[in-house]
Amino acid sequence: QVAVETGFSWRLSNVKNKLSCFEKIGDWSDQHRPRRPKYFNRVHTGYEWNKYNQTHYDQDNPPPKVVQGYKFNIFYPNLIDPSKTPRYFLEKSDHPDYKIIRFHAGPPYEDIAFKIVAKPWDQSSKRTSFRNTFERGILHLWFNFKRYRYKR
């Protein structure tokens, strides 16, 4: 009976070894299954001190905050083809005051979209108001909106 028990325990350990091999393959296949990328976004808000707001508000009673820009940081660490740079697309929304910004990177990542305010972007090189880079697996898209000066 002792020989039968040791033979049975050998079979169980052999099965456990085979299962651990399959688990390792499962981890690799999970790495390439479609998934949403992780992201870290910021909305830049502030006060707009135009002539109307200067006459009706002050520092103690400020005007309502408005959206002045966005910062999108989207993480793509496991791209299958890292030579292809992720891209963004602006699409119309159901409301005319908003647009949809959609980020596309390719497999294994799904597209991800956000609703943003529809204003013209400030892409001038005077300030650091616009940045669109892809480095070390992170897509950085930072932009501020144009500021219009009040004229009579």
Side-chain angles (χ1 to χ4, degrees):
Q1 286 185 348
V2 173
V4 172
E5 286 179 10
T6 56
F8 180 71
S9 64
W10 177 83
R11 285 187 213 137
L12 275 180
S13 65
N14 197 12
V15 169
K16 287 180 183 176
N17 288 340
K18 287 181 183 177
L19 287 177
S20 65
C21 292
F22 287 126
E23 288 172 4
K24 290 178 186 175
I25 292 171
D27 291 342
W28 180 84
S29 65
D30 283 346
Q31 190 176 21
H32 296 293
R33 68 170 167 48
R35 62 182 177 269
R36 293 180 61 189
K38 293 183 179 179
Y39 57 88
F40 180 73
N41 300 340
R42 288 274 171 149
V43 179
H44 182 227
T45 59
Y47 303 114
E48 198 172 274
W49 290 107
N50 55 22
K51 286 294 183 185
Y52 179 85
N53 288 345
Q54 287 177 9
T55 57
H56 292 86
Y57 298 100
D58 58 2
Q59 295 290 356
D60 297 331
N61 182 21
K65 285 190 173 184
V66 294
V67 176
Q68 295 178 342
Y70 292 94
K71 289 186 178 185
F72 293 99
N73 299 305
I74 303 177
F75 302 95
Y76 297 109
N78 299 324
L79 278 174
I80 291 177
D81 188 5
S83 65
K84 290 187 179 178
T85 304
R87 300 182 300 168
Y88 66 91
F89 303 98
L90 289 174
E91 301 170 351
K92 290 184 179 180
S93 176
D94 52 353
H95 196 276
D97 293 340
Y98 298 99
K99 288 185 182 177
I100 294 175
I101 186 166
R102 182 173 53 91
F103 295 94
H104 173 77
Y109 294 101
E110 297 174 349
D111 290 1
I112 188 166
F114 302 96
K115 187 181 277 191
I116 62 171
V117 178
K119 290 184 181 178
W121 296 4
D122 183 11
Q123 296 181 352
S124 65
S125 60
K126 290 185 289 187
R127 290 179 268 148
T128 57
S129 62
F130 183 79
R131 179 179 180 185
N132 181 20
T133 58
F134 180 64
E135 53 192 14
R136 290 181 271 143
I138 304 172
L139 174 67
H140 301 280
L141 177 63
W142 302 356
F143 59 89
N144 289 330
F145 297 124
K146 286 185 179 180
R147 294 184 182 178
Y148 296 106
R149 301 291 173 216
Y150 176 78
K151 294 181 183 178
R152 282 191 193 200

